[in-house]
Amino acid sequence: KFLNEDPRISWVNHPGLETDKYYELARKYMPNGTCGVISFGVPGGRDTVSSLLDHFRMISIATHVADARSCTLYPAGTTHRQLTEEQLEEAGVGIDLVRLSCGIENADDIITDLDQALAAVQ
């Protein structure tokens, strides 16, 4: 909800959000809640998104999900960096896409880290 309501974020995908296109399916098939993996868009291009990740203090940069600690990844700058912007769009990996896998830290601590990193790149 923090990311979805933040004007510094252009979009958020998470089936637990009422605004997500998969919300009703998630409620049907995952009545006890969805996962902690969130994707969201940060406007400003590769440099802005890369800088955002550099400003995280608690959230680590990693290529995996489902760790006990919160981690993030910028696919256009790491796993898909060899693709052109057109190829990224065709693959559904926008230049602004950030993936966040929430760990077991306190939600307020994750939000604080997101907020301070976003403030640093504005």
Side-chain angles (χ1 to χ4, degrees):
K1 287 181 180 178
F2 166 78
L3 290 169
N4 199 41
E5 296 170 2
D6 194 307
R8 300 169 293 187
I9 302 298
S10 52
W11 56 269
V12 178
N13 284 337
H14 186 271
L17 285 173
E18 292 179 7
T19 56
D20 192 89
K21 65 182 177 181
Y22 297 111
Y23 178 73
E24 290 303 324
L25 286 173
R27 286 177 38 99
K28 178 179 179 181
Y29 295 110
M30 296 177 276
N32 296 323
T34 60
C35 71
V37 178
I38 304 163
S39 59
F40 59 96
V42 177
R46 290 179 189 257
D47 290 341
T48 300
V49 180
S50 293
S51 180
L52 173 75
L53 272 59
D54 289 341
H55 282 91
F56 286 131
R57 295 179 182 150
M58 180 189 70
I59 300 169
S60 62
I61 300 171
T63 57
H64 62 281
V65 296
D67 198 327
R69 60 200 166 114
S70 293
C71 54
T72 190
L73 178 68
Y74 177 45
T78 55
T79 58
H80 294 70
R81 69 183 169 274
Q82 73 281 7
L83 302 179
T84 66
E85 288 190 29
E86 181 179 290
Q87 291 170 323
L88 287 168
E89 291 299 327
E90 288 175 9
V93 180
I95 197 76
D96 61 343
L97 170 69
V98 176
R99 186 185 72 197
L100 172 66
S101 177
C102 296
I104 60 172
E105 300 92 353
N106 183 288
D108 290 336
D109 292 337
I110 296 170
I111 290 169
T112 296
D113 201 22
L114 286 163
D115 188 44
Q116 67 80 26
L118 285 163
V121 299
Q122 296 301 306

